[in-house]
Amino acid sequence: GSSPESLCGIGEQADTFDKKPTRICVGAVVFRMEPQFNRSKSRKRTPTMVLPATFSSTTRLSHDYQQAKKVMRRLDAIRNVQTTMLNDDFLGGLESDARRIDFIAAYLRRVHGYC
């Protein structure tokens, strides 16, 4: 198989405004990020789906929060984002990992165009 480094292309820089998927490496994990662009409001909405309770466990939320934070930091580094309000002090002040994930997801959508 391929090593994570060969999947990421060491030193690979992502174009800020391209529409192609971007590979982001965080440790041995490779994330495939795709930009989310505004869609016409006339399109039918997909029905809301409820995730199984497993995805709301404290262990899972803690893991997901750490992964989301690493992806956010990596994208900030690739795109040379110097300051963000989502520092460790701010995130640590939020009441739960679920709330931290919500803030990071909103940040990834607004700043980097990913969700």
Side-chain angles (χ1 to χ4, degrees):
S2 300
S3 70
E5 291 80 14
S6 67
L7 292 173
C8 291
I10 296 299
E12 176 179 315
Q13 291 292 318
D15 183 358
T16 305
F17 299 106
D18 67 1
K19 294 182 181 182
K20 296 180 282 188
T22 302
R23 292 184 307 261
I24 303 296
C25 295
V26 177
V29 180
V30 178
F31 293 91
R32 184 172 181 263
M33 309 293 286
E34 295 187 29
Q36 182 69 29
F37 297 98
N38 292 330
R39 295 183 180 153
S40 170
K41 292 183 181 189
S42 63
R43 291 178 95 183
K44 291 182 181 178
R45 291 189 164 261
T46 18
T48 303
M49 298 178 71
V50 177
L51 292 173
T54 306
F55 293 103
S56 295
S57 72
T58 55
T59 304
R60 181 79 236 175
L61 287 172
S62 177
H63 172 77
D64 290 347
Y65 162 61
Q66 293 301 322
Q67 289 293 329
K69 187 166 82 169
K70 288 176 184 178
V71 168
M72 177 182 70
R73 300 285 188 243
R74 182 71 176 126
L75 279 170
D76 285 349
I78 288 171
R79 301 221 169 125
N80 204 22
V81 174
Q82 298 298 321
T83 57
T84 175
M85 67 172 252
L86 295 183
N87 56 35
D88 291 331
D89 291 335
F90 176 81
L91 290 170
L94 296 173
E95 65 272 7
S96 68
D97 284 337
R99 192 75 172 134
R100 291 177 190 103
I101 292 168
D102 288 344
F103 270 85
I104 291 171
Y107 175 82
L108 291 172
R109 267 192 302 274
R110 294 288 286 177
V111 174
H112 297 291
Y114 294 109
C115 67

